[in-house]
Amino acid sequence: MPWLETVAKLPGKALAVSILICFLRGVTKKCEFTLRPSLLKRLNVERKAGYRALRQLEAAGLVTVQRKRGKSPVISLTIDLAPQRG
């Protein structure tokens, strides 16, 4: 839950983008995935606001982002969000 507590303190669309990241993590079963602008749009997040949110998540140490000019960013989680068992 520390991940969520950290996200909740961030401004702007960081919470919406983090929800999308968690959704993509669950759907793809991977810790690295591409964040397409069309996905942001479905959550009513403008592309620039979404990329600002990514910078905030990155600055908080929650994700790493690989950026290439003209390409959608590739997001990697810094921690595994899967529930711990045992």
Side-chain angles (χ1 to χ4, degrees):
M1 189 127 147
W3 198 89
L4 183 59
E5 290 170 349
T6 302
V7 169
K9 296 174 186 173
L10 297 175
K13 297 289 185 172
L15 183 58
V17 172
S18 68
I19 290 169
L20 179 56
I21 289 170
C22 291
F23 172 77
L24 291 172
R25 165 63 173 94
V27 169
T28 64
K29 305 289 191 240
K30 297 179 181 178
C31 286
E32 183 177 288
F33 35 81
T34 302
L35 186 62
R36 303 193 190 292
S38 60
L39 295 172
L40 292 171
K41 195 173 216 177
R42 290 178 70 179
L43 289 180
N44 214 22
V45 176
E46 296 290 328
R47 183 176 58 90
K48 287 184 180 181
Y51 292 167
R52 272 194 306 273
L54 278 180
R55 284 193 297 274
Q56 292 166 345
L57 293 169
E58 192 175 27
L62 303 173
V63 299
T64 58
V65 182
Q66 299 172 31
R67 296 174 180 85
K68 292 186 181 177
R69 189 173 189 87
K71 303 277 185 182
S72 296
V74 176
I75 312 304
S76 299
L77 295 173
T78 56
I79 61 167
D80 187 7
L81 296 177
Q84 300 296 319
R85 297 182 187 236

